[in-house]
Amino acid sequence: MAKKALITGITGQDGSYLAELLLSKGYEVHGIIRRASTFNTHRLEPLYHDDDIPSENMHMHYGDLSDASGLARLIAKVEPDEIYNLAAQSHVRVSFDAPEYTADVDATGTLRLLEAIREEGINTRFYQASSSEMYGKVQEVPQTEKTPFYPRSPYACAKVFSYWITVNYRESYGMHTSNGILFNHESPRRGETFVTRKITRAVAYIKKGLQKKLYLGNLDAKRDWGFAKEYVEAMWLMLQQEQGDDYVVATNETHTVREFLEVAFGHVGLNYQDYVEIDQRYFRPAEVDLLIGDPAKCKEKLNWEPKTKFEDLTKLMVDEDMKTLNDQMSGNIQVKRS
C-alpha cells in the first residue's frame, strides 16, 4: 500500500516541489489549501502535465492552520504516514505589519497540528519547516544545530516557538517529529515579493523595456542561498530516519544581495547600478545582517548535500523569468508595466 503524506502549504514553492518528489516516489499526496476567490494552485500545474508523475494520486482539501477542529478531522480522515508543515505567513518584512496573524499561523498553527496528531492517536511522522531567521542576530558563524537563537522579527519569533514545541512533543510524547532549519532557498517558483524573485523578474522586465527601475532595501545583507528543489529532498530524508531530529539545511556559502544583483543583471548584459535604487520602506525595523549555515549533520546523517551553486541558481531563475515573459509577449498576453 502506498504511503500517504499530508502537506500544508502545498501551493507554495516548497510544497509544490515536495509534492512532485513524493508523487515520483509513489506516495498518495494530500494537500491543504485555503479557500480563495482566485486560483492559487499555479505552482502545481506542472504536476498535471508530466507523464512521469502520477497526478491522480494527489488530493486537495480546503483547510487552514487557524482551524483546530478542521485540522483534527482531516488528519483523522486521511491518516497520513507523514505530515509536512510548510504553511506559514513567510514574508519577514510583512510580519512586522501583521505580527498577530503571523504568530497565529506560524506558531499556534504548528501547535494545533501537533495536538491534532496527539489527540487522534495517529502514528505519523511530522516535519516542521523551521527557518534560519531564528538565528537573527547571529551568535556564531557559521550557524549549526547548537547555535542559540536570537530572532529579530515577529516571523522569526513565531518560528522559534514552532521549533521548540516540535521538540517538546517529541520529548514529551515520543512522537517522531523533526525540524528542518532551512536557510534561504530559492527557485523559479519563489514568490514574486521575495527579494531574489523580485530581482530576477525585474531583470526580465527591464531587459524587455517594460520596467525602468527596481527598488530594494539593504543590499549588504548576507544570505546562504540554495535551490529549493534540492532542499525538499532533505525534508523527506528526515522523516525516513528511525528517530526524529533537527537539521540545518544550507550550502555553507554566503553572498550579499548586491552579489545576487551583479550576477542576475550581468547574465543579460546589464549593470544593476543603472537600474537599482534604494527605498527605505524595504528596510526592516531590526535587520539580520549575516546568515550562513553548516550542513555537516545533514551530510553525515542523511547523506544529503547541496548541488546547485549560487551563480547557477541565479542564472536559472533569470532564464526562467525571461522565458515566461517571452511566452507572455509572443502569446499576445497583456504584460503589466511596472
Side-chain angles (χ1 to χ4, degrees):
M1 183 179 292
K3 278 188 176 182
K4 288 188 284 188
L6 177 64
I7 304 172
T8 73
I10 194 170
T11 59
Q13 169 188 251
D14 294 4
S16 63
Y17 280 123
L18 180 61
E20 195 173 294
L21 175 70
L22 296 179
L23 288 168
S24 72
K25 292 182 179 295
Y27 277 67
E28 180 182 307
V29 175
H30 295 259
I32 298 179
I33 59 174
R34 287 181 296 171
R35 178 73 180 90
S37 58
T38 57
F39 289 113
N40 58 359
T41 56
H42 64 279
R43 291 187 183 91
L44 299 173
E45 286 300 316
L47 278 63
Y48 294 102
H49 302 291
D50 189 332
D51 294 336
D52 296 326
I53 297 175
S55 56
E56 67 273 9
N57 290 341
M58 188 161 67
H59 309 275
M60 309 298 270
H61 308 269
Y62 286 118
D64 198 290
L65 288 184
S66 63
D67 179 9
S69 60
L71 292 172
R73 284 195 302 272
L74 182 57
I75 287 172
K77 175 184 176 182
V78 174
E79 295 187 337
D81 298 287
E82 298 169 6
I83 296 176
Y84 297 85
N85 183 30
L86 310 184
Q89 189 300 98
S90 57
H91 199 287
V92 177
R93 181 62 190 83
V94 170
S95 76
F96 286 99
D97 301 322
E100 184 178 345
Y101 172 73
T102 301
D104 184 50
V105 174
D106 296 10
T108 314
T110 305
L111 176 59
R112 292 183 185 111
L113 274 172
L114 289 166
E115 263 298 280
I117 294 167
R118 187 182 72 83
E119 289 186 347
E120 294 300 328
I122 302 289
N123 184 24
T124 189
R125 297 183 174 193
F126 179 83
Y127 170 84
Q128 169 58 26
S130 290
S131 169
S132 59
E133 287 285 335
M134 300 188 302
Y135 295 118
K137 190 175 180 179
V138 298
Q139 302 301 290
E140 64 178 359
V141 178
Q143 293 87 59
T144 72
E145 292 81 4
K146 296 181 179 179
T147 303
F149 299 136
Y150 196 135
R152 299 268 282 173
S153 66
Y155 168 78
C157 290
K159 284 293 187 178
V160 169
F161 174 88
S162 284
Y163 173 92
W164 283 116
I165 202 66
T166 298
V167 172
N168 184 257
Y169 271 63
R170 181 169 72 222
E171 295 178 347
S172 299
Y173 304 114
M175 292 167 57
H176 192 299
T177 64
S178 294
N179 281 293
I181 308 173
L182 271 61
F183 281 63
N184 291 63
H185 47 291
E186 318 299 319
S187 77
R189 299 182 190 177
R190 189 56 143 151
E192 294 176 356
T193 59
F194 290 86
V195 67
T196 52
R197 184 72 196 290
K198 185 176 178 181
I199 290 169
T200 61
R201 187 172 179 271
V203 166
Y205 274 63
I206 289 170
K207 184 66 176 177
K208 290 291 184 180
L210 297 168
Q211 183 173 330
K212 293 181 179 179
K213 293 290 182 180
L214 170 62
Y215 297 93
L216 296 173
N218 182 11
L219 303 189
D220 297 314
K222 296 179 180 179
R223 294 293 184 268
D224 183 326
W225 276 306
F227 187 19
K229 189 174 183 178
E230 296 170 358
Y231 280 36
V232 299
E233 185 180 1
M235 300 177 188
W236 175 75
L237 286 167
M238 290 176 208
L239 297 199
Q240 309 318 303
Q241 305 308 302
E242 191 173 330
Q243 295 180 326
D245 206 345
D246 311 309
Y247 301 86
V248 163
V249 183
T251 69
N252 202 28
E253 289 185 14
T254 189
H255 298 274
T256 62
V257 175
R258 195 182 304 277
E259 288 177 79
F260 196 99
L261 284 165
E262 289 171 353
V263 175
F265 276 86
H267 187 48
V268 297
L270 299 176
N271 184 342
Y272 83 91
Q273 294 175 323
D274 295 332
Y275 305 98
V276 175
E277 293 190 5
I278 304 302
D279 189 329
Q280 294 297 322
R281 291 177 299 175
Y282 294 116
F283 281 80
R284 303 177 186 179
E287 281 289 342
V288 173
D289 297 317
L290 168 64
L291 292 175
I292 178 171
D294 181 357
K297 184 177 178 181
C298 256
K299 185 174 182 179
E300 178 190 350
K301 302 286 188 182
L302 306 180
N303 195 29
W304 179 93
E305 56 185 332
K307 300 179 181 67
T308 305
K309 297 299 183 182
F310 170 75
E311 285 198 12
D312 295 331
L313 173 61
T314 307
K315 292 174 181 177
L316 170 72
M317 293 175 65
V318 170
D319 288 343
E320 192 64 29
D321 274 325
M322 288 292 293
K323 179 181 180 300
T324 298
L325 187 54
N326 283 332
D327 289 347
Q328 287 177 330
M329 294 177 74
S330 62
N332 296 319
I333 299 171
Q334 184 176 3
V335 180
K336 182 180 178 183
R337 290 182 177 270
S338 298

